Amino acid sequence: MNAILVGVDGSEAAEGAVRWAAKAAAAERLDLKIVGAYDASTSDYAPGLIIPQDVIDAIRQDASDAVHAAAAVAKEVAPNVSVATSIVDGDAARVLLELGKDAAMIVVGTRRLGSVKGLFLGSVSISVAAHAHGRVAIVAAGGSDTGPVVVGVDGSPISDVAVAEAFRQASLRNAPLVAVHTWTPLDADALHGYGIGPEEVQRMTQDAVEVLAERLAGYAQDYPDVRVERHVLPEEPAKALLDAAGTDAQLIVVGSRGRGGFRGLMLGSTSQKVMHQAECPVLVVRG
């Protein structure tokens, strides 16, 4: 489907995700589909328990209320966007992954600094981000409508896909782009401890600056309206991205190798650290 899919559960985090998704749908000229997932199955600890029908009905009604409230928010934010809704019985992550197979993007919400609620438990966000076929946006409560788009660049094909998307997002948002390249996972003090002097660190940094400029050149030609700021430094990758984003960024774009597993700059714990700690939305792009 040519639409952005967003999951809701009635939480404040979900409302933030809907607002972001509606704005994204308007910017990308896509439809918006809002889904509420509810799980009426019995627990593994009580497999023989029969849940009364009135309880199931109440759970479903809560999901329905959340979806309709979210649709009203979406229409308020982006009145020209076509909005569809659905309520599905099933595990939240599985529902979003199944419905999102043909979506242009899946959007899930989370409270900032890794505190999550309801549908958007950490495992749901991480599972969707790791296994979805297309783009996934993890939307925190924070973020800015006027700040830069931040992207990590490591020279890999996966990084190239993220950079291309970051340029596109910056152009759509009329925002500057901050390209972050870390040429070592160690900071300068650690390098000095290994016998690498300040002059050598400076030389290696300058070499990395030239490499980064070459990697960005083609994209800059495709998007001449995007102003690019380059950050090249010896530092742990997740910290570099989070520091560059701060509290002012609109979006951080990271790359993924597909169905699970991250590579290069966004390797495993790095990508998860960015998604959990960023105070702005994080867009995971398939490589």
Side-chain angles (χ1 to χ4, degrees):
M1 72 185 149
N2 194 26
I4 291 176
L5 176 71
V6 57
V8 300
D9 66 351
S11 68
E12 182 180 342
E15 181 177 329
V18 169
R19 290 182 179 276
W20 189 91
K23 292 177 183 178
E28 300 193 25
R29 299 182 179 180
L30 296 170
D31 296 340
L32 181 66
K33 184 175 179 63
I34 300 171
V35 59
Y38 69 99
D39 192 350
S41 62
T42 58
S43 166
D44 290 339
Y45 296 102
L49 179 66
I50 298 176
I51 300 179
Q53 186 60 46
D54 59 341
V55 174
I56 295 175
D57 292 343
I59 294 172
R60 178 180 173 83
Q61 187 60 52
D62 284 346
S64 177
D65 292 344
V67 165
H68 288 117
V73 169
K75 279 298 186 182
E76 174 190 336
V77 172
N80 294 326
V81 169
S82 175
V83 178
T85 62
S86 66
I87 304 162
V88 182
D89 181 3
D91 173 76
R94 292 180 183 176
V95 167
L96 291 172
L97 288 169
E98 182 62 30
L99 295 181
K101 283 181 179 179
D102 299 320
M105 183 194 305
I106 302 175
V107 181
V108 292
T110 177
R111 292 181 179 180
R112 70 176 66 178
L113 300 179
S115 177
V116 292
K117 174 186 176 182
L119 173 69
F120 304 117
L121 248 96
S123 60
V124 173
S125 299
I126 294 298
S127 180
V128 172
H131 298 292
H133 292 277
R135 298 177 297 164
V136 177
I138 310 297
V139 179
S144 163
D145 289 332
T146 58
V149 173
V150 178
V151 64
V153 186
D154 67 1
S156 69
I158 293 168
S159 170
D160 286 345
V161 173
V163 171
E165 178 65 16
F167 266 97
R168 193 176 78 88
Q169 290 295 327
S171 181
L172 285 170
R173 299 162 184 274
N174 193 28
L177 177 65
V178 177
V180 179
H181 176 61
T182 60
W183 52 267
T184 173
L186 303 176
D187 61 23
D189 288 341
L191 291 172
H192 298 163
Y194 282 102
I196 301 176
E199 296 82 4
E200 184 67 9
V201 170
Q202 181 59 38
R203 184 193 66 77
M204 296 171 76
T205 299
Q206 186 55 45
D207 289 346
V209 168
E210 295 174 2
V211 170
L212 178 60
E214 293 176 359
R215 302 296 301 189
L216 297 179
Y219 303 108
Q221 290 177 359
D222 293 337
Y223 296 94
D225 59 315
V226 175
R227 178 172 60 85
V228 182
E229 178 182 327
R230 300 176 180 87
H231 290 197
V232 179
L233 64 169
E235 194 169 272
E236 193 269 323
K239 182 178 185 303
L241 281 170
L242 292 167
D243 287 349
T247 58
D248 299 324
Q250 290 193 49
L251 184 67
I252 300 175
V253 181
V254 299
S256 164
R257 66 166 53 188
R259 299 192 63 188
F262 290 80
R263 178 185 173 187
L265 181 67
M266 292 291 97
L267 181 65
S269 61
T270 299
S271 59
Q272 292 194 29
K273 185 182 295 184
V274 171
M275 286 189 287
H276 278 297
Q277 297 186 16
E279 296 191 44
C280 68
V282 177
L283 181 59
V284 181
V285 184
R286 304 258 100 43

